Amino acid sequence: MTDVDGTPRDLVPVFEGFRGMNAVRTSPLYEHLNNAFITEPELAAALLAAPPTERLPLLLFASVHFLLRNARDGADAALAAYYPSLGGTRTPDAELTGTFREFTARRDTELRALTSTHVTQTNEARRAAMLRPALTAAQQRAGDREIALVEVGCSSGLMLLPDRYGYRYDQPDGSVLEFADPATPELLLQAEVRGDKPVPKWLATPLRIASRVGIDRNPISAADTEQTDWLRACVWPEHLDRLARLEAALAQAREAGLDLRRGDLLDLLPAAVAQAPQDAVVVVVSSHVLPYLADADRMTFAEQVAELAATRDLMLVLNEDHRFGRIFGVQAPGSEGYVAASFIDFTAADSTAAEAPTAAALAKVDPHGTWLEWL
């Protein structure tokens, strides 16, 4: 099969790259299928309907998962039997590849409709445990004033709800720092503290949030069943704890009535900052967004934030690869690629004297929110 923009064989390097990721080992189903794609790339031909930059294994996996979740008859039961998220108990075996081949051939048109119009969107509430240190530090540097959250790349806005989660940090010495009272047990976010430094107790300071605004090209309303079902489909089939946490967090998002705005962050950020409550300190949050921006757009974002900080008190919280933090003056130790939780305090800068804002990386963090290492 040949598509206008390539052939299935062109996808093999992407699958080989995915095979090298440690995360794939947490899903025996996806690991098995990804290996099958490498030897038989025609199985993934529906991915060619996506724009070249979006032709990722997880987009195809999510599209298949979405169709299985919304199956109306028993025709897909054979493949669904391999999905724990759908009640399946069958582990990957010699028949899985053939079952997947039959499914993709029969539902090729529907798969292409999804891969051509969707992107992978994961909104992992557990990442709030990585953001919490920087948010608390920002609030404290602002003299414990209320903060107005503005998240770029918000998806369904679950990072706008840090005060609705509970937190448990398992310290290196065996002690535990646990605080806040989650609405449900699923929203107690637990993280291992690695290294030899404990996270400080001031993390437990309650957050005072005045407003919550999210910006995304394709925001997902927690009240929209079809949109949220796409989020569920993006959760890996074996990750039942993540699925339960997503359901609980979406319920909180519906209750909060978040202000999610559709459009380009560079276009919408100025108004979001200007409209925030005047007595509050604006805290712009960027979590796993900067890698998806073009180099020029990243620089424009940095310049725009600095310009907006000249109009009112503003801080920036990053949960990004530490290399991108350097754009804002964050100097984190080490040269290997890792994600760092950082904050940049523009309120102390004197733009007339060309004084740089205060910037600090607080911790190395796991992209999925399972551990952090205090710096």
Side-chain angles (χ1 to χ4, degrees), residues 29 77-85 88-97 99-100 237-238:
L29 175 62
L79 184 57
Y82 292 96
Y83 284 70
S85 56
T89 58
R90 191 168 180 176
T91 57
D93 53 30
E95 296 181 17
L96 173 56
T97 299
T99 302
F100 189 86
E238 296 90 346

Side-chain angles (χ1 to χ4, degrees), residues 20-365:
M21 298 174 59
N22 290 330
V24 73
R25 298 178 197 12
T26 68
S27 174
L29 175 62
Y30 285 176
E31 185 176 27
H32 182 106
L33 290 174
N34 188 71
N35 288 336
F37 297 160
I38 294 173
T39 57
E40 189 182 339
E42 290 76 14
L43 289 170
L47 201 52
L48 292 171
T53 56
E54 301 296 338
R55 293 173 182 172
L56 304 173
L58 291 179
L59 176 58
L60 180 59
F61 288 144
S63 298
V64 171
H65 201 183
F66 182 85
L67 293 181
L68 290 175
R69 288 184 59 87
N70 291 279
R72 293 291 182 265
D73 52 44
D76 301 324
L79 184 57
Y82 292 96
Y83 284 70
S85 56
L86 303 176
T89 58
R90 191 168 180 176
T91 57
D93 53 30
E95 296 181 17
L96 173 56
T97 299
T99 302
F100 189 86
R101 185 187 301 112
E102 186 278 331
F103 174 88
T104 55
R106 179 166 45 82
R107 307 200 67 173
D108 180 72
T109 299
E110 295 159 285
L111 283 173
R112 289 174 184 268
L114 288 169
T115 60
S116 64
T117 57
H118 288 65
V119 296
T120 53
Q121 285 185 291
T122 53
N123 215 184
E124 175 53 70
R126 197 170 187 175
R127 287 176 178 162
M130 309 293 101
L131 282 169
R132 182 61 191 259
L135 290 173
T136 307
Q139 179 176 279
Q140 288 193 332
R141 287 188 65 87
D144 286 326
R145 291 161 60 190
E146 286 189 317
I147 58 177
L149 294 179
V150 178
E151 185 188 7
V152 296
C154 65
S155 188
S156 59
L158 302 188
M159 295 302 101
L160 293 168
L161 303 166
D163 54 337
R164 291 184 175 233
Y165 305 139
Y167 299 86
R168 175 187 167 113
Y169 296 93
D170 295 321
Q171 305 275 35
D173 63 1
S175 64
V176 172
L177 177 63
E178 185 172 335
F179 57 92
D181 186 19
T184 66
E186 293 83 5
L187 295 180
L188 177 63
L189 310 181
Q190 184 171 349
E192 173 194 0
V193 181
R194 296 184 176 179
D196 56 5
K197 296 181 180 179
V199 296
K201 293 183 179 180
W202 54 255
L203 261 65
T205 303
L207 293 174
R208 302 176 61 232
I209 300 176
S211 60
R212 314 163 200 261
V213 174
I215 299 171
D216 199 287
R217 289 182 181 274
N218 296 289
I220 291 180
S221 168
D224 188 304
T225 302
E226 183 174 352
Q227 287 185 342
T228 54
D229 211 33
W230 177 251
L231 276 184
R232 296 180 184 96
C234 289
V235 177
W236 297 14
E238 296 90 346
H239 296 184
L240 301 183
D241 58 333
R242 288 180 58 201
L243 187 61
R245 188 161 49 246
L246 174 63
E247 296 288 1
L250 286 172
Q252 292 299 305
R254 287 190 292 271
E255 182 179 299
L258 301 175
D259 180 1
L260 305 184
R261 304 180 185 183
R262 181 181 301 273
D264 186 275
L265 69 91
L266 298 176
D267 295 332
L268 300 185
L269 184 58
V273 170
Q275 294 165 3
Q278 289 303 306
D279 292 338
V281 176
V282 176
V283 177
V284 177
V285 178
S286 175
S287 179
H288 296 274
V289 173
L290 298 183
Y292 298 97
L293 298 183
D295 290 344
D297 288 341
R298 277 196 292 270
M299 295 307 299
T300 300
F301 174 60
E303 294 166 358
Q304 187 180 71
V305 169
E307 292 170 359
L308 292 170
T311 66
R312 62 177 302 165
D313 288 345
L314 182 147
M315 299 193 192
L316 175 66
V317 164
L318 299 177
N319 186 29
E320 303 281 4
D321 187 294
H322 79 296
R323 292 169 295 179
F324 299 130
R326 293 172 182 166
I327 299 172
F328 302 92
V330 177
Q331 298 299 321
S335 58
E336 75 281 9
Y338 61 83
V339 176
S342 313
F343 76 94
I344 298 92
D345 180 5
F346 289 91
T347 64
D350 182 353
S351 59
T352 60
E355 182 181 345
T358 300
L362 300 178
K364 296 180 182 180
V365 302

